[in-house]
């Protein structure tokens, strides 16, 4: 609302505006300038009324001064500007037109005086109030602080007393001054018994060498704290193990005064650790040190200084598997425990130890400067210890063992090398008939090194195209016709010449290279099958089938089905022209997950053959579960038919297997047929297909083609 400027209200407003503009910049109000003006307006009105009142009273001035303070115009500059403003404009804007100018000016002056006084008083009051508030707040605050301090002390005491950790304070001479409950409980002593004791009395034979040096450094002020694992004797003679932290306490001037010990009882944890360590380093069955522990000791022996030697006996029991298979695992276990006890009693001299590496494999180690002699004696003692039969379940079992001995100076070979050499030597002892010991010879080791060399050369061999495949025909026993061939891989090694799969397939399986290698063999052989078909002018001779061997690792490889399907599709070969050979041992105990890929392939029409049948111990009834359509009888059956007349029991066994297989709709292939007599015998027994040197040795693919043609035309 805009008042008429000349009307008294309008003039009052103008005065208030001028006043507010003058003072606003020096106020500390949170109000805006117009808001501030609104606050000044009633004050201005009071001044205006006082100016024109019939009987003058300066009280309005005092009130105006106080109002300024209340409006946060506490700065002296605000008062000065107000007085200037009132002096210049109050009479001008608020005086009556007809009033006495001189009287008005006098009244204005008195109002200004009163305003200054009112302002000063209000300001003093306000300051006092503020000071008081601050003082009160400070007092309150002090109270809070004191309370807090009190709380800290109580809390400290509570912590000291209630702590699970032992706390003790001693002076720098080592006299114990204060201990908490946890500490007395740890030591099994009363507080009284602990106070006054001296820290230096607590030496223990297991103290780490630096323990007391650190202590001296601390009490002499050279060190602020230290941390050690320390043992203490309890009054009952048991040992208390602690994690001990000792700190130096200095006074306000920085002078060392006390030592503060914090100790954590680690006795239980230590026992647990010792037990875990024991379990991790000992064999659960026999209680002997295990492989881990043995390796640690062997490594230590091999790292010993000049002049030090080691001797190692690597023992494997002969025929332990038979005990396990015929008498059961519980009996086998008892046998192992007895053997372990006997071995232990053979190696009791310092520097000697016996360990169980696993299964029926044990090692005995001797160290020192004269191990050439001591290791021989050790092996002799072991052989002797095994002589007496072991009684189990009322039976007297004769136990024999084969020992490989490695002896030599420390510092030349790694633990793994030594153990490998011992392992090879033990096998040599076994191969020589068992129940004996053999000494490692460098040549045998060299062969092992070759094995190592082959392993490392394998991956690049595939890239370099060093593998090739030979094909061995599969012949129908009824009409003698070639029905297909088995693909057998070979490695043309740049140094070693042609290597048979027995030399490198196990290595490839071990390193995982078997997967790409197997895929390569599969692809090459399927291509070859396609090439034979094309060369024969389609399927004129009936499709030549291709048999490819699969390793157990390939079975578990997720890409098997897809890889096989892709290869068949790429080459345009029908699935029923392919037969995958899987060894019996790979399928023993196979669960459904493992069989799934084979089942998928079988459903597509790929034949699955159970290779080397009769060498494992698979349950014949199990055959029904397997997605198998061909049994390949192992060569050992054929071999037993070499002499004439053949062993009638063997004949009966083969006859039984063949009839069982046929009942299950399985075709029977025999391997290793070397003579015509064998072939005839197997034909009479009902076998379907045969493979062997009698027909052809494995050879290049062209040969098979020729054989098949001869066969078809002849
Ligand atoms: P296998 O599958 O049982 O192959 C038959 C083995 O018997 C072949 O040995 C073959 O040369 C040999 N043999 C054939 N006829 C006769 C005979 O009349 N008398 C004798 N004494 N032996 C005969 P080879 O070629 O040394 O293969 C050995 C094994 O290597 C094969 O046994 C097979 O398990 C594996 N193998 C071969 N090629 C591959 C492959 O590509 N992948 C996989 N995973 N394994 C393969
Ligand atoms: Mg085979
Ligand atoms: Mg075989």
């Amino acid at each position: 609302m805009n008042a008429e400027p000349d009307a008294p209200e309008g003039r009052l407003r103008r005065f208030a505006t001028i006043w507010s503009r003058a003072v606003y910049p020096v106020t500390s109000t949170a109000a805006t300038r117009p808001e501030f003006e609104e606050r000044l307006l009633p004050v201005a009105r009071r001044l205006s009324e006082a100016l024109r009142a019939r009987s003058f009273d300066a009280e309005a001035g005092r009130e105006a001064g106080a109002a300024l303070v209340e409006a946060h115009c506490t700065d002296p500059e605000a008062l000065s500007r107000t007085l200037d403003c009132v002096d210049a404009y109050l009479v001008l804007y608020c005086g009556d037109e007809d009033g006495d100018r001189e009287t008005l000016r006098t009244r204005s002056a008195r109002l200004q005086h009163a305003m200054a006084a009112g302002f000063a008083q209000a300001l003093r009051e306000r300051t006092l109030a503020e000071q008081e508030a601050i003082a009160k707040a400070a007092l309150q605050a002090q109270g809070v602080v004191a309370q807090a301090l009190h709380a800290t002390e109580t809390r400290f005491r509570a912590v000291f007393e209630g702590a699970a950790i032992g706390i003790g304070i001693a002076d720098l001479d080592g006299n114990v001054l204060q201990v908490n409950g946890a500490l007395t409980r740890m030591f099994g002593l009363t507080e009284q018994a602990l106070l006054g004791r001296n820290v230096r009395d607590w030496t223990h034979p297991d103290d780490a060498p630096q323990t007391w040096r650190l202590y001296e450094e601390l009490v002499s002020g050279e060190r602020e704290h230290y941390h050690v694992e320390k043992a203490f004797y309890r009054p009952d003679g048991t040992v208390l193990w602690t994690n001990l932290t000792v700190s130096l306490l200095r006074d306000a001037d920085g002078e060392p005064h006390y030592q503060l010990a914090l100790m954590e009882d680690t006795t239980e944890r230590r026992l647990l650790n010792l037990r875990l360590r024991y379990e991790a380093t000992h064999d659960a069955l026999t209680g002997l040190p295990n492989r881990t522990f043995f390796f640690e000791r062997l490594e230590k022996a091999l790292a010993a200084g000049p002049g030090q030697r080691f001797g190692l006996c690597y023992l494997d029991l002969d025929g332990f598997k038979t005990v396990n298979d015929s008498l059961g695992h519980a009996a086998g276990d008892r046998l192992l425990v007895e053997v372990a006890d006997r071995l232990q009693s053979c190696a009791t001299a310092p520097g000697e130890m016996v360990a169980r590496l696993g299964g029926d494999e044990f090692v005995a180690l001797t160290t020192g400067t004269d191990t050439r002699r001591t290791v021989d004696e050790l092996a002799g003692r072991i052989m002797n210890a095994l002589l007496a039969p072991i009684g189990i379940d009322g039976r007297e079992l004769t136990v024999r063992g084969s020992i490989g001995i490695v002896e030599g100076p420390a510092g030349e070979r790694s633990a793994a090398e030594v153990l490998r050499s011992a392992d090879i030597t033990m096998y040599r002892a076994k191969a020589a008939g068992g129940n004996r010991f053999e000494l490692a010879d460098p040549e045998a080791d060299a062969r092992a090194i070759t094995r190592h060399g082959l392993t490392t050369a394998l991956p690049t061999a595939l890239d370099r195209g060093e593998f090739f495949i030979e094909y061995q025909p599969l012949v129908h026993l009824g009409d003698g016709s070639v029905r297909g061939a088995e693909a057998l891989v070979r490695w043309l090694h740049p140094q070693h010449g042609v290597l048979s799969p027995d030399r490198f397939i196990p290595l490839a399986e071990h390193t995982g290279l078997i997967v790409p290698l197997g895929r390569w063999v599969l692809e090459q052989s399927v291509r070859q099958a396609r090439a034979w078909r094309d060369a024969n002018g389609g399927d004129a001779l009936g499709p030549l089938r291709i048999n490819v061997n699969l390793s157990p690792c390939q079975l578990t490889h997720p890409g098997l089905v897809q890889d096989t399907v892709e290869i068949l599709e790429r080459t345009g070969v029908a699935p029923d022209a392919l037969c995958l050979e899987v060894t019996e041992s790979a399928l023993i105990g196979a669960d459904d997950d493992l069989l799934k890929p084979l089942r998928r392939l079988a459903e597509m029409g790929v034949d699955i053959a159970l290779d080397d049948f009769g060498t494992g111990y698979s349950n014949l009834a199990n055959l029904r579960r397997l997605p198998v359509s061909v049994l390949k009888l192992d060569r050992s059956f054929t071999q037993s038919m070499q002499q004439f007349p053949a062993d009638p029991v063997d004949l009966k066994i083969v006859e039984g297997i063949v009839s069982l297989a046929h009942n299950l709709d399985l075709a029977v292939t025999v391997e290793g047929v070397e003579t015509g007599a064998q072939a005839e015998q197997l034909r009479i027994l009902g076998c379907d297909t045969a493979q062997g040197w009698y027909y052809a040795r494995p050879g290049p693919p062209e040969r098979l083609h020729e054989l098949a043609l001869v066969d078809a035309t002849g």
Side-chain angles (χ1 to χ4, degrees), residues 474-497:
L474 286 154
V475 177
H476 191 263
L477 275 171
D479 58 13
S481 64
V482 174
R483 293 297 171 93
E486 176 175 8
L488 295 160
V489 66
R490 278 94 180 82
W491 179 6
L492 179 58
H493 191 281
Q495 279 108 49
H496 303 294

Side-chain angles (χ1 to χ4, degrees), residues 472 486 489-490 501 549 551 611-612 635 671 674 692-693 698:
Q472 186 175 36
E486 176 175 8
V489 66
R490 278 94 180 82
N549 292 285
S551 273
D611 202 357
D612 301 347
R635 201 159 65 223
E671 296 180 313
E674 293 181 355
W693 296 349

